Amino acid sequence: QVQLVESGGGLVQPGGSLRLSCAASGFTFSNYVVSWYRRAPGKEREFVASIHMIGGTTNYADSVKGRFTISRDNTKNTVDLQMNTLKLEDTAVYSCNAVSSRADMWGRYLKFWGQGTLVTVSS
């Protein structure tokens, strides 16, 4: 029953704001790096932002720096993405990704993907 569930997508006008949430079910985000990716129609999937659940170190794509903020809540086992001053080019399916920050005894990393939530920026 390991799952990542995204929520908060919807329709928003240019310049508006939206808050996405990624919730882990069946496991804890502890010792994981959680990221947001997006895929626009006709384009390849691209990295948006990431955060280490331990320490809180963040990273952002240049296209969203200063507009998007990723945050974590270790108690609730969730990761949010606050999106401000949205642009038309932000329209995409946003997906949550979790990768274990430590390899297991076989040198492998666990990786999980959510199903995604649609964000549409339009007038």
Short mmCIF file of all heavy atoms in Angstrom, two decimals, residues 38-111:
data_model
loop_
_atom_site.label_atom_id
_atom_site.label_comp_id
_atom_site.label_asym_id
_atom_site.label_seq_id
_atom_site.Cartn_x
_atom_site.Cartn_y
_atom_site.Cartn_z
N ARG A 38 7.14 18.18 -13.50
CA ARG A 38 5.97 18.54 -14.28
C ARG A 38 6.17 18.18 -15.74
O ARG A 38 7.29 18.12 -16.23
CB ARG A 38 5.65 20.03 -14.15
CG ARG A 38 6.67 20.97 -14.78
CD ARG A 38 6.32 22.42 -14.49
NE ARG A 38 7.25 23.34 -15.12
CZ ARG A 38 7.22 24.66 -14.93
NH1 ARG A 38 6.30 25.20 -14.13
NH2 ARG A 38 8.11 25.43 -15.55
N ARG A 39 5.06 17.92 -16.42
CA ARG A 39 5.09 17.60 -17.83
C ARG A 39 3.97 18.37 -18.54
O ARG A 39 2.79 18.13 -18.28
CB ARG A 39 4.93 16.10 -18.07
CG ARG A 39 5.12 15.71 -19.54
CD ARG A 39 4.91 14.24 -19.75
NE ARG A 39 5.16 13.87 -21.14
CZ ARG A 39 6.18 13.15 -21.56
NH1 ARG A 39 7.05 12.67 -20.70
NH2 ARG A 39 6.33 12.89 -22.85
N ALA A 40 4.37 19.28 -19.41
CA ALA A 40 3.43 20.06 -20.17
C ALA A 40 3.07 19.32 -21.46
O ALA A 40 3.85 18.48 -21.93
CB ALA A 40 4.02 21.43 -20.50
N PRO A 41 1.91 19.61 -22.05
CA PRO A 41 1.51 18.95 -23.30
C PRO A 41 2.55 19.13 -24.40
O PRO A 41 2.99 20.25 -24.67
CB PRO A 41 0.21 19.66 -23.66
CG PRO A 41 -0.35 20.10 -22.35
CD PRO A 41 0.86 20.52 -21.56
N GLY A 42 2.98 18.02 -25.00
CA GLY A 42 3.95 18.08 -26.08
C GLY A 42 5.38 18.28 -25.64
O GLY A 42 6.27 18.45 -26.49
N LYS A 43 5.64 18.28 -24.35
CA LYS A 43 6.99 18.48 -23.83
C LYS A 43 7.41 17.33 -22.93
O LYS A 43 6.58 16.55 -22.45
CB LYS A 43 7.08 19.80 -23.07
CG LYS A 43 6.82 21.04 -23.90
CD LYS A 43 7.01 22.30 -23.07
CE LYS A 43 6.78 23.55 -23.90
NZ LYS A 43 6.97 24.78 -23.09
N GLU A 44 8.71 17.23 -22.69
CA GLU A 44 9.24 16.21 -21.81
C GLU A 44 9.08 16.63 -20.35
O GLU A 44 8.95 17.81 -20.03
CB GLU A 44 10.72 15.94 -22.11
CG GLU A 44 10.99 15.37 -23.49
CD GLU A 44 12.44 15.04 -23.72
OE1 GLU A 44 13.25 15.22 -22.79
OE2 GLU A 44 12.79 14.59 -24.82
N ARG A 45 9.09 15.65 -19.46
CA ARG A 45 9.00 15.92 -18.04
C ARG A 45 10.22 16.70 -17.58
O ARG A 45 11.34 16.40 -17.98
CB ARG A 45 8.88 14.61 -17.27
CG ARG A 45 8.71 14.77 -15.77
CD ARG A 45 8.42 13.42 -15.12
NE ARG A 45 9.48 12.47 -15.35
CZ ARG A 45 9.38 11.16 -15.11
NH1 ARG A 45 8.24 10.66 -14.66
NH2 ARG A 45 10.41 10.36 -15.35
N GLU A 46 10.02 17.70 -16.72
CA GLU A 46 11.12 18.51 -16.23
C GLU A 46 11.08 18.64 -14.70
O GLU A 46 10.02 18.59 -14.09
CB GLU A 46 11.09 19.90 -16.87
CG GLU A 46 9.88 20.73 -16.51
CD GLU A 46 9.96 22.14 -17.06
OE1 GLU A 46 11.06 22.59 -17.43
OE2 GLU A 46 8.90 22.81 -17.13
N PHE A 47 12.25 18.83 -14.13
CA PHE A 47 12.39 19.01 -12.70
C PHE A 47 11.89 20.38 -12.28
O PHE A 47 12.12 21.37 -12.98
CB PHE A 47 13.86 18.84 -12.30
CG PHE A 47 14.17 19.25 -10.90
CD1 PHE A 47 13.91 18.41 -9.83
CD2 PHE A 47 14.75 20.49 -10.64
CE1 PHE A 47 14.21 18.79 -8.53
CE2 PHE A 47 15.05 20.87 -9.35
CZ PHE A 47 14.77 20.02 -8.29
N VAL A 48 11.21 20.45 -11.14
CA VAL A 48 10.69 21.71 -10.63
C VAL A 48 11.38 22.11 -9.33
O VAL A 48 11.95 23.19 -9.23
CB VAL A 48 9.17 21.64 -10.39
CG1 VAL A 48 8.66 22.95 -9.78
CG2 VAL A 48 8.44 21.34 -11.69
N ALA A 49 11.32 21.24 -8.33
CA ALA A 49 11.91 21.55 -7.02
C ALA A 49 12.09 20.28 -6.21
O ALA A 49 11.44 19.27 -6.47
CB ALA A 49 11.03 22.54 -6.25
N SER A 50 12.99 20.32 -5.23
CA SER A 50 13.23 19.17 -4.37
C SER A 50 13.54 19.63 -2.95
O SER A 50 13.95 20.78 -2.74
CB SER A 50 14.38 18.30 -4.90
OG SER A 50 15.61 19.00 -4.83
N ILE A 51 13.37 18.72 -2.01
CA ILE A 51 13.67 19.02 -0.61
C ILE A 51 14.09 17.75 0.11
O ILE A 51 13.51 16.69 -0.10
CB ILE A 51 12.46 19.68 0.09
CG1 ILE A 51 12.84 20.12 1.51
CG2 ILE A 51 11.27 18.73 0.13
CD1 ILE A 51 11.79 21.00 2.17
N HIS A 52 15.14 17.87 0.94
CA HIS A 52 15.56 16.76 1.78
C HIS A 52 14.71 16.77 3.05
O HIS A 52 14.64 17.78 3.74
CB HIS A 52 17.03 16.88 2.14
CG HIS A 52 17.98 16.55 1.03
ND1 HIS A 52 18.08 17.32 -0.11
CD2 HIS A 52 18.87 15.54 0.88
CE1 HIS A 52 18.99 16.80 -0.91
NE2 HIS A 52 19.48 15.72 -0.33
N MET A 53 14.09 15.64 3.37
CA MET A 53 13.22 15.59 4.53
C MET A 53 14.00 15.73 5.83
O MET A 53 13.45 16.15 6.84
CB MET A 53 12.42 14.28 4.54
CG MET A 53 11.49 14.12 3.34
SD MET A 53 10.36 15.52 3.13
CE MET A 53 9.32 15.34 4.58
N ILE A 54 15.27 15.38 5.81
CA ILE A 54 16.15 15.61 6.95
C ILE A 54 17.09 16.75 6.59
O ILE A 54 17.87 16.65 5.65
CB ILE A 54 16.96 14.36 7.32
CG1 ILE A 54 16.03 13.22 7.74
CG2 ILE A 54 17.95 14.68 8.43
CD1 ILE A 54 16.76 11.94 8.09
N GLY A 55 17.00 17.85 7.31
CA GLY A 55 17.83 19.01 7.05
C GLY A 55 17.09 20.10 6.30
O GLY A 55 17.34 21.29 6.51
N GLY A 56 16.18 19.72 5.40
CA GLY A 56 15.37 20.69 4.68
C GLY A 56 16.05 21.40 3.53
O GLY A 56 15.54 22.42 3.05
N THR A 57 17.18 20.91 3.05
CA THR A 57 17.87 21.52 1.92
C THR A 57 16.99 21.49 0.68
O THR A 57 16.42 20.45 0.34
CB THR A 57 19.19 20.81 1.63
OG1 THR A 57 20.04 20.86 2.78
CG2 THR A 57 19.91 21.47 0.46
N THR A 58 16.87 22.63 -0.01
CA THR A 58 16.00 22.73 -1.18
C THR A 58 16.78 23.05 -2.45
O THR A 58 17.90 23.56 -2.41
CB THR A 58 14.93 23.81 -0.99
OG1 THR A 58 15.58 25.08 -0.77
CG2 THR A 58 14.06 23.49 0.21
N ASN A 59 16.15 22.76 -3.58
CA ASN A 59 16.71 23.06 -4.88
C ASN A 59 15.57 23.38 -5.83
O ASN A 59 14.50 22.78 -5.75
CB ASN A 59 17.53 21.87 -5.40
CG ASN A 59 18.33 22.21 -6.64
OD1 ASN A 59 18.74 23.35 -6.83
ND2 ASN A 59 18.56 21.21 -7.49
N TYR A 60 15.78 24.35 -6.74
CA TYR A 60 14.75 24.79 -7.66
C TYR A 60 15.25 24.89 -9.08
O TYR A 60 16.42 25.21 -9.32
CB TYR A 60 14.19 26.16 -7.25
CG TYR A 60 13.52 26.20 -5.91
CD1 TYR A 60 14.24 26.52 -4.76
CD2 TYR A 60 12.16 25.94 -5.78
CE1 TYR A 60 13.62 26.57 -3.52
CE2 TYR A 60 11.53 25.99 -4.55
CZ TYR A 60 12.28 26.30 -3.42
OH TYR A 60 11.66 26.35 -2.20
N ALA A 61 14.35 24.66 -10.03
CA ALA A 61 14.66 24.91 -11.42
C ALA A 61 14.70 26.42 -11.63
O ALA A 61 13.99 27.17 -10.97
CB ALA A 61 13.60 24.28 -12.32
N ASP A 62 15.54 26.88 -12.55
CA ASP A 62 15.68 28.32 -12.80
C ASP A 62 14.34 28.96 -13.20
O ASP A 62 14.08 30.11 -12.88
CB ASP A 62 16.71 28.57 -13.90
CG ASP A 62 18.12 28.27 -13.44
OD1 ASP A 62 18.38 28.29 -12.22
OD2 ASP A 62 18.99 28.03 -14.31
N SER A 63 13.50 28.21 -13.88
CA SER A 63 12.24 28.74 -14.37
C SER A 63 11.23 29.08 -13.28
O SER A 63 10.28 29.82 -13.52
CB SER A 63 11.61 27.76 -15.37
OG SER A 63 11.36 26.51 -14.75
N VAL A 64 11.44 28.54 -12.06
CA VAL A 64 10.49 28.76 -10.98
C VAL A 64 11.09 29.46 -9.78
O VAL A 64 10.37 29.76 -8.82
CB VAL A 64 9.83 27.45 -10.53
CG1 VAL A 64 9.19 26.73 -11.70
CG2 VAL A 64 10.85 26.54 -9.84
N LYS A 65 12.38 29.74 -9.80
CA LYS A 65 13.04 30.40 -8.68
C LYS A 65 12.41 31.76 -8.40
O LYS A 65 12.16 32.54 -9.31
CB LYS A 65 14.53 30.58 -8.96
CG LYS A 65 15.34 29.30 -8.85
CD LYS A 65 16.82 29.56 -9.07
CE LYS A 65 17.64 28.29 -8.92
NZ LYS A 65 19.08 28.53 -9.17
N GLY A 66 12.13 32.02 -7.13
CA GLY A 66 11.52 33.27 -6.74
C GLY A 66 10.01 33.26 -6.80
O GLY A 66 9.36 34.16 -6.27
N ARG A 67 9.43 32.25 -7.45
CA ARG A 67 7.98 32.16 -7.58
C ARG A 67 7.40 30.96 -6.83
O ARG A 67 6.31 31.05 -6.27
CB ARG A 67 7.57 32.07 -9.05
CG ARG A 67 7.99 33.26 -9.89
CD ARG A 67 7.38 33.20 -11.29
NE ARG A 67 7.80 32.00 -12.02
CZ ARG A 67 6.97 31.07 -12.47
NH1 ARG A 67 5.66 31.19 -12.25
NH2 ARG A 67 7.43 30.03 -13.15
N PHE A 68 8.12 29.84 -6.83
CA PHE A 68 7.67 28.62 -6.17
C PHE A 68 8.45 28.38 -4.89
O PHE A 68 9.64 28.71 -4.80
CB PHE A 68 7.85 27.40 -7.08
CG PHE A 68 6.94 27.37 -8.29
CD1 PHE A 68 6.16 28.46 -8.63
CD2 PHE A 68 6.88 26.23 -9.07
CE1 PHE A 68 5.33 28.42 -9.74
CE2 PHE A 68 6.05 26.18 -10.18
CZ PHE A 68 5.28 27.27 -10.52
N THR A 69 7.79 27.79 -3.90
CA THR A 69 8.43 27.44 -2.65
C THR A 69 8.03 26.03 -2.23
O THR A 69 6.84 25.73 -2.12
CB THR A 69 8.05 28.42 -1.52
OG1 THR A 69 8.43 29.75 -1.87
CG2 THR A 69 8.78 28.03 -0.23
N ILE A 70 9.02 25.17 -2.01
CA ILE A 70 8.75 23.81 -1.57
C ILE A 70 8.99 23.74 -0.07
O ILE A 70 9.93 24.33 0.46
CB ILE A 70 9.62 22.78 -2.32
CG1 ILE A 70 9.19 21.35 -2.00
CG2 ILE A 70 11.10 22.99 -2.01
CD1 ILE A 70 9.85 20.30 -2.88
N SER A 71 8.14 23.02 0.64
CA SER A 71 8.25 22.90 2.08
C SER A 71 7.87 21.50 2.54
O SER A 71 7.22 20.75 1.80
CB SER A 71 7.38 23.95 2.79
OG SER A 71 6.01 23.76 2.47
N ARG A 72 8.25 21.17 3.75
CA ARG A 72 7.97 19.85 4.28
C ARG A 72 7.33 19.93 5.66
O ARG A 72 7.50 20.90 6.40
CB ARG A 72 9.27 19.03 4.38
CG ARG A 72 10.18 19.44 5.55
CD ARG A 72 11.56 18.85 5.41
NE ARG A 72 12.32 18.86 6.67
CZ ARG A 72 12.91 19.92 7.19
NH1 ARG A 72 12.81 21.11 6.60
NH2 ARG A 72 13.61 19.82 8.33
N ASP A 73 6.58 18.89 6.01
CA ASP A 73 6.01 18.72 7.33
C ASP A 73 6.26 17.27 7.72
O ASP A 73 5.51 16.38 7.32
CB ASP A 73 4.52 19.05 7.34
CG ASP A 73 3.95 19.10 8.75
OD1 ASP A 73 4.41 18.34 9.62
OD2 ASP A 73 3.03 19.91 8.98
N ASN A 74 7.32 17.05 8.48
CA ASN A 74 7.69 15.69 8.86
C ASN A 74 6.64 15.01 9.73
O ASN A 74 6.49 13.79 9.70
CB ASN A 74 9.04 15.69 9.58
CG ASN A 74 10.19 16.14 8.70
OD1 ASN A 74 10.49 17.34 8.61
ND2 ASN A 74 10.83 15.19 8.04
N THR A 75 5.92 15.81 10.53
CA THR A 75 4.89 15.26 11.39
C THR A 75 3.72 14.72 10.58
O THR A 75 3.22 13.63 10.85
CB THR A 75 4.39 16.30 12.40
OG1 THR A 75 5.47 16.78 13.19
CG2 THR A 75 3.33 15.69 13.30
N LYS A 76 3.28 15.48 9.59
CA LYS A 76 2.17 15.08 8.74
C LYS A 76 2.60 14.18 7.59
O LYS A 76 1.76 13.65 6.87
CB LYS A 76 1.44 16.30 8.20
CG LYS A 76 0.79 17.16 9.26
CD LYS A 76 0.06 18.34 8.64
CE LYS A 76 -0.62 19.17 9.69
NZ LYS A 76 -1.34 20.33 9.09
N ASN A 77 3.92 14.07 7.40
CA ASN A 77 4.45 13.24 6.31
C ASN A 77 3.99 13.76 4.95
O ASN A 77 3.56 12.98 4.08
CB ASN A 77 4.03 11.78 6.50
CG ASN A 77 5.02 10.79 5.92
OD1 ASN A 77 6.22 11.06 5.83
ND2 ASN A 77 4.52 9.62 5.52
N THR A 78 4.09 15.08 4.77
CA THR A 78 3.66 15.71 3.53
C THR A 78 4.70 16.70 3.02
O THR A 78 5.54 17.20 3.79
CB THR A 78 2.33 16.45 3.69
OG1 THR A 78 2.47 17.45 4.71
CG2 THR A 78 1.22 15.49 4.06
N VAL A 79 4.64 17.00 1.73
CA VAL A 79 5.47 18.01 1.10
C VAL A 79 4.57 18.88 0.24
O VAL A 79 3.78 18.36 -0.56
CB VAL A 79 6.57 17.38 0.23
CG1 VAL A 79 7.27 18.46 -0.59
CG2 VAL A 79 7.59 16.66 1.10
N ASP A 80 4.68 20.20 0.40
CA ASP A 80 3.85 21.13 -0.35
C ASP A 80 4.67 21.93 -1.35
O ASP A 80 5.88 22.09 -1.20
CB ASP A 80 3.14 22.11 0.60
CG ASP A 80 2.05 21.45 1.42
OD1 ASP A 80 1.78 20.25 1.22
OD2 ASP A 80 1.46 22.15 2.26
N LEU A 81 3.99 22.43 -2.37
CA LEU A 81 4.61 23.30 -3.35
C LEU A 81 3.71 24.52 -3.51
O LEU A 81 2.62 24.43 -4.07
CB LEU A 81 4.78 22.60 -4.71
CG LEU A 81 5.47 23.42 -5.79
CD1 LEU A 81 6.94 23.64 -5.42
CD2 LEU A 81 5.37 22.72 -7.15
N GLN A 82 4.15 25.66 -2.97
CA GLN A 82 3.42 26.91 -3.10
C GLN A 82 3.85 27.59 -4.39
O GLN A 82 5.02 27.91 -4.57
CB GLN A 82 3.70 27.82 -1.91
CG GLN A 82 3.00 29.18 -1.97
CD GLN A 82 1.50 29.06 -1.91
OE1 GLN A 82 0.96 28.34 -1.08
NE2 GLN A 82 0.81 29.77 -2.79
N MET A 83 2.90 27.81 -5.30
CA MET A 83 3.18 28.39 -6.60
C MET A 83 2.54 29.77 -6.68
O MET A 83 1.32 29.90 -6.59
CB MET A 83 2.67 27.50 -7.72
CG MET A 83 3.20 26.07 -7.66
SD MET A 83 2.62 25.04 -9.05
CE MET A 83 0.87 24.98 -8.67
N ASN A 84 3.36 30.80 -6.86
CA ASN A 84 2.89 32.17 -6.97
C ASN A 84 3.21 32.76 -8.34
O ASN A 84 4.06 32.24 -9.07
CB ASN A 84 3.51 33.05 -5.88
CG ASN A 84 3.14 32.61 -4.48
OD1 ASN A 84 2.03 32.13 -4.24
ND2 ASN A 84 4.07 32.77 -3.54
N THR A 85 2.56 33.86 -8.68
CA THR A 85 2.74 34.55 -9.97
C THR A 85 2.82 33.55 -11.11
O THR A 85 3.77 33.55 -11.90
CB THR A 85 4.00 35.45 -9.95
OG1 THR A 85 5.17 34.66 -9.65
CG2 THR A 85 3.87 36.55 -8.94
N LEU A 86 1.82 32.70 -11.20
CA LEU A 86 1.80 31.65 -12.20
C LEU A 86 1.72 32.22 -13.62
O LEU A 86 1.07 33.23 -13.87
CB LEU A 86 0.62 30.71 -11.95
CG LEU A 86 0.82 29.75 -10.77
CD1 LEU A 86 -0.51 29.19 -10.31
CD2 LEU A 86 1.77 28.63 -11.18
N LYS A 87 2.39 31.53 -14.54
CA LYS A 87 2.44 31.92 -15.94
C LYS A 87 1.78 30.85 -16.80
O LYS A 87 1.58 29.72 -16.36
CB LYS A 87 3.89 32.12 -16.39
CG LYS A 87 4.68 33.10 -15.56
CD LYS A 87 6.14 33.14 -16.00
CE LYS A 87 6.96 34.11 -15.17
NZ LYS A 87 8.39 34.13 -15.60
N LEU A 88 1.45 31.21 -18.03
CA LEU A 88 0.82 30.27 -18.95
C LEU A 88 1.69 29.02 -19.13
O LEU A 88 1.17 27.91 -19.21
CB LEU A 88 0.55 30.92 -20.30
CG LEU A 88 -0.46 32.06 -20.32
CD1 LEU A 88 -0.57 32.63 -21.72
CD2 LEU A 88 -1.82 31.57 -19.85
N GLU A 89 3.00 29.21 -19.18
CA GLU A 89 3.92 28.10 -19.40
C GLU A 89 4.04 27.16 -18.20
O GLU A 89 4.71 26.13 -18.27
CB GLU A 89 5.31 28.60 -19.81
CG GLU A 89 5.89 29.64 -18.86
CD GLU A 89 5.66 31.06 -19.33
OE1 GLU A 89 4.56 31.35 -19.82
OE2 GLU A 89 6.59 31.88 -19.22
N ASP A 90 3.41 27.52 -17.08
CA ASP A 90 3.41 26.65 -15.90
C ASP A 90 2.35 25.56 -16.02
O ASP A 90 2.31 24.65 -15.19
CB ASP A 90 3.17 27.45 -14.62
CG ASP A 90 4.33 28.36 -14.27
OD1 ASP A 90 5.49 27.95 -14.46
OD2 ASP A 90 4.07 29.49 -13.80
N THR A 91 1.50 25.65 -17.02
CA THR A 91 0.46 24.66 -17.23
C THR A 91 1.09 23.29 -17.48
O THR A 91 1.89 23.12 -18.40
CB THR A 91 -0.43 25.03 -18.42
OG1 THR A 91 -1.14 26.24 -18.14
CG2 THR A 91 -1.45 23.93 -18.70
N ALA A 92 0.73 22.31 -16.65
CA ALA A 92 1.32 20.98 -16.76
C ALA A 92 0.70 20.05 -15.72
O ALA A 92 -0.02 20.48 -14.83
CB ALA A 92 2.83 21.04 -16.56
N VAL A 93 1.00 18.76 -15.87
CA VAL A 93 0.66 17.79 -14.85
C VAL A 93 1.84 17.73 -13.88
O VAL A 93 2.96 17.42 -14.29
CB VAL A 93 0.39 16.39 -15.45
CG1 VAL A 93 0.19 15.37 -14.33
CG2 VAL A 93 -0.83 16.43 -16.34
N TYR A 94 1.59 18.03 -12.63
CA TYR A 94 2.64 18.05 -11.62
C TYR A 94 2.62 16.74 -10.84
O TYR A 94 1.58 16.33 -10.31
CB TYR A 94 2.44 19.23 -10.67
CG TYR A 94 2.80 20.56 -11.28
CD1 TYR A 94 1.99 21.13 -12.25
CD2 TYR A 94 3.96 21.24 -10.90
CE1 TYR A 94 2.32 22.34 -12.84
CE2 TYR A 94 4.30 22.44 -11.47
CZ TYR A 94 3.48 23.00 -12.44
OH TYR A 94 3.82 24.20 -13.01
N SER A 95 3.79 16.09 -10.73
CA SER A 95 3.90 14.81 -10.06
C SER A 95 4.92 14.86 -8.93
O SER A 95 5.92 15.57 -9.01
CB SER A 95 4.31 13.71 -11.05
OG SER A 95 3.36 13.57 -12.08
N CYS A 96 4.65 14.10 -7.89
CA CYS A 96 5.51 14.02 -6.73
C CYS A 96 6.40 12.79 -6.85
O CYS A 96 5.96 11.72 -7.29
CB CYS A 96 4.66 13.96 -5.46
SG CYS A 96 5.60 13.90 -3.92
N ASN A 97 7.65 12.94 -6.45
CA ASN A 97 8.62 11.85 -6.51
C ASN A 97 9.39 11.77 -5.20
O ASN A 97 9.77 12.78 -4.63
CB ASN A 97 9.59 12.08 -7.68
CG ASN A 97 10.83 11.21 -7.61
OD1 ASN A 97 11.87 11.61 -7.09
ND2 ASN A 97 10.72 10.00 -8.15
N ALA A 98 9.62 10.55 -4.73
CA ALA A 98 10.38 10.34 -3.50
C ALA A 98 11.48 9.31 -3.74
O ALA A 98 11.22 8.23 -4.27
CB ALA A 98 9.47 9.88 -2.37
N VAL A 99 12.69 9.66 -3.37
CA VAL A 99 13.85 8.78 -3.53
C VAL A 99 14.56 8.66 -2.19
O VAL A 99 14.82 9.65 -1.53
CB VAL A 99 14.83 9.31 -4.59
CG1 VAL A 99 16.03 8.37 -4.71
CG2 VAL A 99 14.14 9.47 -5.92
N SER A 100 14.87 7.43 -1.78
CA SER A 100 15.57 7.22 -0.53
C SER A 100 16.93 7.89 -0.58
O SER A 100 17.64 7.81 -1.60
CB SER A 100 15.70 5.74 -0.22
OG SER A 100 16.40 5.06 -1.25
N SER A 101 17.31 8.57 0.49
CA SER A 101 18.56 9.30 0.53
C SER A 101 19.75 8.40 0.85
O SER A 101 20.91 8.81 0.72
CB SER A 101 18.49 10.43 1.56
OG SER A 101 18.19 9.93 2.86
N ARG A 102 19.47 7.17 1.25
CA ARG A 102 20.53 6.21 1.54
C ARG A 102 20.28 4.92 0.78
O ARG A 102 19.15 4.46 0.67
CB ARG A 102 20.59 5.91 3.03
CG ARG A 102 21.03 7.09 3.89
CD ARG A 102 21.17 6.68 5.34
NE ARG A 102 21.65 7.77 6.17
CZ ARG A 102 21.88 7.69 7.47
NH1 ARG A 102 21.67 6.54 8.10
NH2 ARG A 102 22.31 8.74 8.14
N ALA A 103 21.36 4.34 0.25
CA ALA A 103 21.25 3.08 -0.48
C ALA A 103 21.09 1.92 0.50
O ALA A 103 21.55 1.99 1.64
CB ALA A 103 22.48 2.86 -1.35
N ASP A 104 20.44 0.86 0.04
CA ASP A 104 20.30 -0.31 0.88
C ASP A 104 21.59 -1.14 0.80
O ASP A 104 22.57 -0.72 0.20
CB ASP A 104 19.08 -1.15 0.46
CG ASP A 104 19.14 -1.61 -0.99
OD1 ASP A 104 20.24 -1.63 -1.58
OD2 ASP A 104 18.07 -1.96 -1.54
N MET A 105 21.58 -2.32 1.38
CA MET A 105 22.78 -3.15 1.41
C MET A 105 23.24 -3.61 0.03
O MET A 105 24.38 -4.04 -0.14
CB MET A 105 22.56 -4.37 2.31
CG MET A 105 21.47 -5.31 1.84
SD MET A 105 21.27 -6.73 2.95
CE MET A 105 20.65 -5.92 4.42
N TRP A 106 22.37 -3.50 -0.97
CA TRP A 106 22.73 -3.87 -2.33
C TRP A 106 23.07 -2.66 -3.19
O TRP A 106 23.23 -2.78 -4.41
CB TRP A 106 21.58 -4.66 -2.98
CG TRP A 106 21.28 -5.94 -2.27
CD1 TRP A 106 21.96 -7.11 -2.36
CD2 TRP A 106 20.21 -6.15 -1.35
NE1 TRP A 106 21.38 -8.06 -1.56
CE2 TRP A 106 20.30 -7.50 -0.91
CE3 TRP A 106 19.18 -5.35 -0.85
CZ2 TRP A 106 19.42 -8.05 0.00
CZ3 TRP A 106 18.29 -5.90 0.06
CH2 TRP A 106 18.42 -7.24 0.47
N GLY A 107 23.18 -1.49 -2.56
CA GLY A 107 23.53 -0.28 -3.28
C GLY A 107 22.39 0.29 -4.10
O GLY A 107 22.64 1.07 -5.03
N ARG A 108 21.16 -0.04 -3.78
CA ARG A 108 20.01 0.43 -4.53
C ARG A 108 19.24 1.50 -3.76
O ARG A 108 19.28 1.55 -2.54
CB ARG A 108 19.07 -0.73 -4.84
CG ARG A 108 19.69 -1.82 -5.71
CD ARG A 108 18.71 -2.95 -5.94
NE ARG A 108 19.27 -3.98 -6.80
CZ ARG A 108 18.62 -5.09 -7.15
NH1 ARG A 108 17.39 -5.31 -6.72
NH2 ARG A 108 19.22 -5.98 -7.92
N TYR A 109 18.55 2.35 -4.52
CA TYR A 109 17.71 3.39 -3.94
C TYR A 109 16.25 3.11 -4.26
O TYR A 109 15.91 2.71 -5.38
CB TYR A 109 18.10 4.76 -4.49
CG TYR A 109 19.48 5.22 -4.07
CD1 TYR A 109 20.60 4.86 -4.81
CD2 TYR A 109 19.65 6.02 -2.94
CE1 TYR A 109 21.86 5.28 -4.42
CE2 TYR A 109 20.91 6.43 -2.55
CZ TYR A 109 22.01 6.06 -3.30
OH TYR A 109 23.27 6.48 -2.91
N LEU A 110 15.37 3.34 -3.29
CA LEU A 110 13.94 3.20 -3.51
C LEU A 110 13.40 4.47 -4.15
O LEU A 110 13.80 5.57 -3.79
CB LEU A 110 13.21 2.92 -2.19
CG LEU A 110 13.59 1.63 -1.47
CD1 LEU A 110 12.84 1.55 -0.14
CD2 LEU A 110 13.27 0.42 -2.33
N LYS A 111 12.49 4.32 -5.10
CA LYS A 111 11.90 5.46 -5.79
C LYS A 111 10.40 5.24 -6.00
O LYS A 111 9.98 4.17 -6.44
CB LYS A 111 12.60 5.68 -7.13
CG LYS A 111 12.07 6.88 -7.91
CD LYS A 111 12.95 7.20 -9.11
CE LYS A 111 12.91 6.09 -10.14
NZ LYS A 111 13.75 6.42 -11.33
#
